[in-house]
Amino acid sequence: MSSMGPGAIKNVAVIGAGPSGLATAKFLLAENPSLDVVVYEQRKNVGGVWNYTPLNPHRQLAMIEGTIDEAIDAVTANLPDLNTPMYENLETNLPHMLMQFSDAPFPAGTQLFPSRQVVLQYLQEYANDIMPLIRFDHEVVDVRPKSSKQMTGWEVTVEDVKRLKKVESFDAVAVASGHCDWPLLPAIEGLDAWSRQFPESLHHSVSYKNAETFVDKRILLVGGGPSGADIGNQIAAKCKHPVLVAQTSKSPYHTDQPCMREYPGLVELIPEERAAKFADGNIEKDIDHIVLCTGYAYRFPFLTSLHPDIKNMGIQALPLYQHIFHINHPTLAFIEIPEMIVPFPLAECQAAVAARVWSGRLELPDEREMEEWRASVHRERGRGRCFHALQPPLDLQYMKAMYEWSSKTEGQGIRDHNGREKMPSRWDEKSSWLRMAAAEMKKAFNARGDQRCEVKRYEELASSPMPAPISIILLASLSSLLPPTLAQQNKTTICHSNTQFGPDGTTYNASATYPIPAFIPPNDPTEPHNWTYHTAILVNTKSSMQTLWIDDPASTSNNDTKITSKSLPYIGCLVAFFGLPHDTVMRGQEDTGDCTKTFDQECVNAVLAGAKEAGALVSGTMGNDTATSGKDAGDVCAQLMRTAVPGACRK
């Protein structure tokens, strides 16, 4: 094990006063109030990436001067100093109660998905108590160890607004400079040639500010992340239809729209014809503008002394343990390197661990064990950006692990005036549910149009209209996120029938009454909160049709309504993950036997195993293969999903 020892770290440099840098400084001081913490910020104010930077109005002039050799030159031409990817009408893709810091809720009345201006104001207020620590207009240009040994400290060279350089010494350095300021471009044949011939037509999300450039133009959008979905929606309101969309995989934030024509990835640009060729062989011509929403490159130019190859290799050049500690130099830490995450809470989890390691209260494994961890992740996920990609629920698992690591010392640290030790957020079943449902909530929020600013709480989305089809992606690794109320439950009775359920061939037919979780309101606000929905799950893997039965237990009708699903284990995952099974009771159904069996952890595992094998899709537009009682299958699926996910709606 590797320990810093109490008092070994007396001063720390934090690079960046964005969200992760602010959180890091606060956790360092909470761990040791006498620690000398200096935060270097190259801007004039806090907030980092949440600062809006207007584009240089003379962008096209640089194009005419013939300075474009490659696509990267075109998409970065005349970007303002300290540019950020903020655009005019940006709203968060996470609800504010999910993205907030552990001890700082957003102000009452904040819209569910806040605007960039609200988030910046939130960060400015969050920083009030540490403003004296921040040195604005100071850019870190070099960070190097004093010697090749691990624990000898760091020389940090900074440059102020007058271009005066100064070298300062620190025992530890926390890099919290972000990674959303420089475009990552795809390797597409013809991209550089296109940029030389039509430089003014090539854009990247890093330079997108509004859709005015694209009015009545034919647009190709490349990329499938949350920003691509949002920018695509904004451009679609202004440009010629259809918008051409090339994405190798759909973001959960993506909404199918008649005004968009989708292709499974871009393989070639043909500038002579202003054309694009897609992975399915189709070609589209007469393209006016191309917008690349393909992510951002990691850049750490101040670390070239430590890693000369970092300019070319980027994040791959850094051997990091748990996405935080430099394995060879553990007094160098990186905060918020992972992607596809909930950034503010994740920064807190990492900062809590770093602060406790540097204070000596937590120990790191030895270098060999840290390298073994890194190698195991390489084998599991691959190298490069995949190494740090924590798409949900991996981000939840990671934050839970970091919380548990930092909490090993809970009760031993310094307490505030309320008698509490500073800890990051603890991800319980409700917050985990909220994370997994965030994309569907965002789509329901956007469907409100101009009225979305009136939505303050996710419960208000329960009756929101929403574009069809509706889908929820439940990733394979759900078992660790299973709510304790279900995971610890042993005596939920189900009815046994001759239908196959689970990979072990066991046969079940499940019948139970599930109460709506207390934090989800009923569809009708005049009704009490103890509504229940009755579900019976009938599985038949030998049939192409697998059925979920739903009815209202208060109904006197004997005509239940059933919907079809291509893969029922996903329904099982939906029910299990969102915590609906609780204090269930037995109720008879047609085609059920008279014997009973316990729905125990073994059965839960069978559901999860089935979902892992098949890939997790529940759709709200199931078609009309089965629709009794005169109801559409999509309506019935929506009824279930409203129980589990505020924002799911009628077809």
Side-chain angles (χ1 to χ4, degrees):
M1 303 292 284
S2 174
S3 174
M4 305 293 169
I9 306 296
K10 296 180 174 62
N11 62 353
V12 179
V14 178
I15 303 176
S20 55
L22 299 176
T24 301
K26 290 200 174 194
F27 272 89
L28 288 169
L29 289 173
E31 182 69 14
N32 181 4
S34 64
L35 189 68
D36 181 14
V37 177
V38 177
V39 182
Y40 293 112
E41 172 51 56
Q42 58 185 340
R43 295 179 175 82
K44 297 182 181 299
N45 54 294
V46 302
V49 71
W50 290 94
N51 285 280
Y52 175 78
T53 50
L55 278 184
N56 188 321
H58 304 296
R59 179 179 189 269
Q60 196 167 358
L61 294 180
M63 307 290 190
I64 298 173
E65 292 171 3
T67 60
I68 304 303
D69 292 320
E70 298 178 337
I72 193 68
D73 301 321
V75 299
T76 59
N78 290 347
L79 283 181
D81 292 337
L82 308 179
N83 180 64
T84 73
M86 288 293 110
Y87 44 91
E88 291 178 7
N89 296 321
L90 183 142
E91 294 168 329
T92 65
N93 58 22
L94 296 171
H96 62 77
M97 66 285 294
L98 183 67
M99 67 181 292
Q100 68 189 26
F101 290 114
S102 58
D103 55 357
F106 275 80
T110 298
Q111 75 175 36
L112 182 60
F113 293 87
S115 67
R116 60 173 177 82
Q117 297 93 330
V118 169
V119 177
L120 181 60
Q121 178 65 32
Y122 169 83
L123 292 171
Q124 290 169 342
E125 293 176 1
Y126 179 74
N128 280 339
D129 58 339
I130 57 171
M131 290 294 283
L133 308 179
I134 305 174
R135 297 184 189 177
F136 294 104
D137 290 320
H138 279 70
E139 179 184 3
V140 174
V141 295
D142 187 65
V143 174
R144 64 180 66 197
K146 291 180 180 178
S147 78
S148 59
K149 296 181 179 179
Q150 281 193 354
M151 301 295 294
T152 55
W154 299 87
E155 291 180 347
V156 177
T157 303
V158 295
E159 186 175 88
D160 65 17
V161 70
K162 297 179 181 179
R163 298 301 180 192
L164 298 176
K165 291 184 178 180
K166 182 179 180 180
V167 179
E168 299 191 69
S169 295
F170 293 92
D171 297 323
V173 175
V175 178
S177 53
H179 48 84
C180 291
D181 64 342
W182 195 254
L184 180 68
L185 301 185
I188 297 173
E189 184 179 347
L191 182 61
D192 288 339
W194 184 290
S195 69
R196 288 190 290 270
Q197 192 163 344
F198 308 112
E200 74 286 350
S201 73
L202 192 62
H203 312 263
H204 187 275
S205 54
V206 74
S207 61
Y208 175 82
K209 301 302 175 183
N210 58 54
E212 297 307 314
T213 301
F214 310 108
V215 173
D216 296 329
K217 302 296 184 182
R218 184 165 163 81
I219 307 301
L220 168 60
L221 183 81
V222 183
S227 62
D230 194 37
I231 290 172
N233 288 337
Q234 293 189 17
I235 291 176
K238 300 281 187 177
C239 71
K240 284 183 181 178
H241 292 172
V243 182
L244 308 175
V245 180
Q247 49 188 0
T248 54
S249 60
K250 288 185 181 181
S251 163
Y253 290 85
H254 175 84
T255 302
D256 292 328
Q257 300 183 52
C259 66
M260 293 186 177
R261 184 179 296 165
E262 298 176 19
Y263 292 101
L266 176 66
V267 296
E268 183 183 359
L269 292 173
I270 309 168
E272 302 79 30
E273 303 178 44
R274 294 194 78 123
K277 183 177 180 180
F278 302 97
D280 60 2
N282 279 298
I283 294 177
E284 293 277 3
K285 298 182 179 181
D286 302 321
I287 295 170
D288 295 314
H289 290 273
I290 300 172
V291 182
L292 303 171
C293 298
T294 50
Y296 302 92
Y298 290 90
R299 294 203 308 166
F300 305 102
F302 49 81
L303 290 178
T304 52
S305 299
L306 181 63
H307 289 287
D309 54 351
I310 199 167
K311 181 176 181 180
N312 296 321
M313 293 183 64
I315 195 64
Q316 295 183 61
L318 298 174
L320 300 186
Y321 175 66
Q322 291 292 352
H323 311 285
I324 305 173
F325 297 100
H326 194 292
I327 292 175
N328 310 119
H329 300 278
T331 54
L332 177 63
F334 295 78
I335 307 299
E336 206 183 305
I337 288 292
E339 299 180 288
M340 307 181 189
I341 56 167
V342 185
F344 297 6
L346 184 136
E348 286 191 300
C349 289
Q350 293 184 317
V353 168
R356 285 159 170 77
V357 167
W358 288 348
S359 74
R361 288 208 291 149
L362 284 179
E363 291 185 333
L364 287 173
D366 60 33
E367 190 170 317
R368 180 185 58 81
E369 289 181 68
M370 291 192 284
E371 286 286 8
E372 287 177 354
W373 175 87
R374 183 170 177 245
S376 70
V377 178
H378 280 157
R379 289 191 296 270
E380 181 182 344
R381 297 184 208 152
R383 297 179 180 271
R385 301 181 74 90
C386 296
F387 184 93
H388 299 289
L390 299 180
Q391 63 270 32
L394 294 179
D395 60 342
L396 296 173
Q397 296 172 357
Y398 176 77
M399 288 188 288
K400 180 181 178 182
M402 293 303 99
Y403 179 90
E404 290 174 351
W405 190 9
S406 63
S407 66
K408 288 181 178 179
T409 63
E410 193 171 6
Q412 305 170 22
I414 295 173
R415 299 177 181 273
D416 61 18
H417 61 280
N418 294 317
R420 293 192 295 266
E421 183 178 355
K422 188 170 179 64
M423 290 290 294
S425 297
R426 187 176 186 279
W427 286 79
D428 57 15
E429 62 187 76
K430 177 179 175 181
S431 52
S432 297
W433 162 80
L434 189 60
R435 170 60 174 134
M436 298 300 289
E440 295 300 323
M441 290 183 188
K442 175 68 172 180
K443 290 191 284 190
F445 176 81
N446 287 342
R448 291 290 184 95
D450 293 340
Q451 282 71 50
R452 67 187 184 280
C453 61
E454 301 172 5
V455 179
K456 316 299 183 185
R457 301 167 65 242
Y458 54 80
E459 293 92 339
E460 298 170 35
L461 293 173
S463 60
S464 172
M466 184 172 170
I470 307 162
S471 58
I472 289 184
I473 302 300
L474 296 175
L475 301 176
S477 304
L478 284 174
S479 56
S480 65
L481 301 177
L482 198 64
T485 52
L486 179 60
Q488 299 167 6
Q489 193 170 305
N490 295 321
K491 297 297 181 182
T492 305
T493 305
I494 65 172
C495 189
H496 185 211
S497 182
N498 294 322
T499 49
Q500 185 173 328
F501 186 88
D504 61 355
T506 310
T507 57
Y508 301 104
N509 181 303
S511 179
T513 300
Y514 305 141
I516 298 176
F519 54 89
I520 303 179
N523 298 331
D524 183 349
T526 64
E527 293 290 334
H529 278 250
N530 62 354
W531 269 26
T532 58
Y533 284 90
H534 173 77
T535 69
I537 302 175
L538 176 64
V539 189
N540 185 351
T541 58
K542 296 180 180 179
S543 167
S544 61
M545 185 176 70
Q546 298 159 10
T547 309
L548 173 69
W549 294 79
I550 304 175
D551 77 323
D552 182 349
S555 172
T556 57
S557 171
N558 292 322
N559 295 322
D560 295 329
T561 304
K562 62 182 179 179
I563 64 171
T564 62
S565 167
K566 292 182 179 178
S567 188
L568 193 89
Y570 304 153
I571 300 290
C573 267
L574 184 69
V575 170
F577 177 71
F578 291 114
L580 297 181
H582 185 63
D583 295 333
T584 58
V585 298
M586 187 65 194
R587 172 174 171 172
Q589 280 288 331
E590 61 177 326
D591 298 328
T592 61
D594 57 1
C595 56
T596 61
K597 187 174 179 65
T598 300
F599 188 7
D600 55 13
Q601 187 62 47
E602 180 181 356
C603 190
V604 172
N605 291 339
V607 174
L608 295 173
K612 182 176 181 179
E613 182 178 357
L617 173 65
V618 177
S619 173
T621 52
M622 302 283 189
N624 294 315
D625 2 352
T626 308
T628 61
S629 302
K631 288 191 175 182
D632 182 88
D635 280 336
V636 184
C637 184
Q639 185 180 19
L640 170 67
M641 292 175 71
R642 278 197 304 273
T643 310
V645 186
C649 71
R650 298 179 179 85
K651 182 178 176 183

